[in-house]
Amino acid sequence: MKVLHVYKDYFPVLGGIENHLRLLAEEQARLGMEVTVLTTNRSARTTVENMNNVRVVKAGRVATIASAPISLNLFVWMHRLEADITHLHFPYPIGELAYLLSGHNRKMVITYHSDIVRQKQLLQLYRPFLRRVLARAAAITVSSPNYLQTSRFLRPLAAKCSVVPYGVELDRFAPAEAVLSRAEKIRRHYKGPLVLFVGLLRYYKGLSFLIEAMRQVEAKLLVVGEGPQGKEWQNLTRRLGLDRRVTFLNRVSDDELPAFYHACDVFVLPSTHRSEAWGIVQIEAMACGKPVVSTELGTGTSFVNIDGSTGLVVPPRDPAALADAINRLLVDPKLRHRLGENGRKRVRQEFSLQVMVERILQVYRDVAAAS
């Protein structure tokens, strides 16, 4: 089977969708499929390369508008490339328009990662094309039933939607001796209970509310990640006099990251907008047996982290509620252990890479059979 994936960015660009796409494409290639990823380059130059048996076409970029890379060459390659299944990763309006204009009648699957949340004016212009591309899709995958039920664009199309939760490479987060040794060094270095945040520092992550919550929490907050709001949130930390309680670590390598999960007592995802459609970092923390504090957004965050079972779920934009939940876990080791073990079991059953890929392949098979 020839599969063409389309999204705006690909490895080494880091992000939840980018990492999901890389894992999916590489695993499909490992299973013997002919996989191509059509994406955009950081420069005006178009390149074609092989990355772990995945053909990656990076079309030259001429501009970026409202977080959407503009590439005229992407339209050319969309028309040129052959595939049995074209798999669009939404939202990327340029990719979807390129498919509509390509003239191909090949079957198309969409993974609907998130509504367009912040670019409301763009959405008004794009809405007719969005409805058209969703109507053209032979199948739509969505990461959680929560998102399917709360998205105004997906609800009318529920009959063609399949819930396919994201998966991660669980072996990366196993408690290997080297990982646990590194985790112990982290705990000794920072001393005291550790609260962990991992993610790109973007507006919807809600880190400012977690920083404010730390005024009421006797623990250290480690912030792993970088992004456009980084300096703003570091300045907030200084203004609140929390320099000794909040530490910004910027990016941490993939090899080092599991040790930080194992070192922490509580993992927190304080997101504030529906742009946080899932939160793969929650799965990574749960795979390490850690309880999670997350926010109720009507998205996959509270499908992954079940309140009272794998962690605690609180209202968004509420520092006091975040502080209460974190403190409740920090003072109760038995509760932390119970929620952490429940999370580890849930990840093994529902959120492994192998389970996700098999579910995607079943969608492809159904589409092929229907044609």
Side-chain angles (χ1 to χ4, degrees), residues 61-338:
R61 181 183 310 201
V62 296
T64 301
I65 300 175
S67 300
I70 309 299
S71 171
L72 300 180
N73 257 349
L74 189 136
F75 288 79
V76 174
W77 279 91
M78 179 70 81
H79 179 75
R80 181 185 302 173
L81 292 169
E82 295 294 333
D84 300 308
I85 297 284
T86 298
H87 192 151
L88 305 182
H89 294 263
F90 177 89
Y92 180 38
I94 300 303
E96 290 119 37
L97 287 173
Y99 173 80
L100 291 176
L101 296 174
S102 68
H104 285 296
N105 291 320
R106 62 191 175 209
K107 292 296 182 177
M108 182 264 286
V109 171
I110 291 179
T111 290
Y112 193 99
H113 293 280
S114 170
D115 293 329
I116 295 176
V117 178
R118 204 177 193 189
Q119 296 88 0
K120 294 183 179 179
Q121 290 183 335
L122 173 64
L123 178 59
Q124 293 302 317
L125 294 172
Y126 184 60
R127 188 191 306 269
F129 299 99
L130 170 57
R131 295 193 185 281
R132 185 177 173 191
V133 77
L134 290 175
R136 282 282 299 274
I140 301 169
T141 71
V142 59
S143 57
S144 71
N146 305 44
Y147 217 94
L148 175 56
Q149 292 161 9
T150 58
S151 171
R152 57 178 172 162
F153 290 104
L154 292 181
R155 280 197 307 270
L157 301 169
K160 67 163 68 175
C161 292
S162 298
V163 174
V164 179
Y166 299 137
V168 300
E169 297 172 289
L170 298 185
D171 290 347
R172 279 187 60 212
F173 304 98
E177 183 177 346
V179 171
L180 295 181
S181 176
R182 172 64 176 143
E184 183 57 32
K185 290 179 181 178
I186 293 170
R187 291 189 64 83
R188 287 200 303 268
H189 179 76
Y190 291 103
K191 300 182 178 64
L194 293 183
V195 177
L196 180 65
F197 168 92
V198 177
L200 295 175
L201 305 187
R202 294 174 174 167
Y203 75 97
Y204 62 85
K205 293 294 183 179
L207 183 59
S208 60
F209 297 96
L210 176 55
I211 293 170
E212 290 185 39
M214 291 306 297
R215 292 187 293 183
Q216 306 171 51
V217 177
E218 292 293 331
K220 298 284 182 64
L221 169 62
L222 303 183
V223 177
V224 174
E226 58 187 12
Q229 266 65 50
K231 288 186 178 179
E232 173 188 334
W233 289 336
Q234 290 179 40
N235 290 336
L236 172 64
T237 298
R238 285 190 287 271
R239 287 200 307 272
L240 295 177
L242 294 173
D243 300 74
R244 294 186 177 181
R245 201 171 287 187
V246 180
T247 300
F248 286 80
L249 298 173
N250 297 318
R251 280 181 59 182
V252 167
S253 71
D254 286 347
D255 290 338
E256 288 185 289
L257 184 58
F260 282 89
Y261 284 119
H262 281 283
C264 78
D265 296 286
V266 177
F267 180 82
V268 184
L269 185 66
S271 304
T272 54
H273 294 72
R274 284 180 60 83
S275 301
E276 190 70 87
W278 181 258
I280 286 179
V281 288
Q282 294 185 120
I283 299 177
E284 296 176 347
M286 290 161 61
C288 297
K290 300 301 174 177
V292 174
V293 175
S294 62
T295 52
E296 180 54 73
L297 302 172
T299 67
T301 58
S302 44
F303 168 73
V304 174
N305 179 35
I306 301 175
D307 187 37
S309 176
T310 63
L312 302 175
V313 179
V314 301
R317 306 179 189 86
D318 191 337
L322 283 170
D324 287 345
I326 295 168
N327 285 329
R328 180 182 168 193
L329 292 172
L330 290 179
V331 301
D332 193 337
K334 290 183 179 180
L335 177 61
R336 291 203 307 272
H337 178 76
R338 177 173 64 82

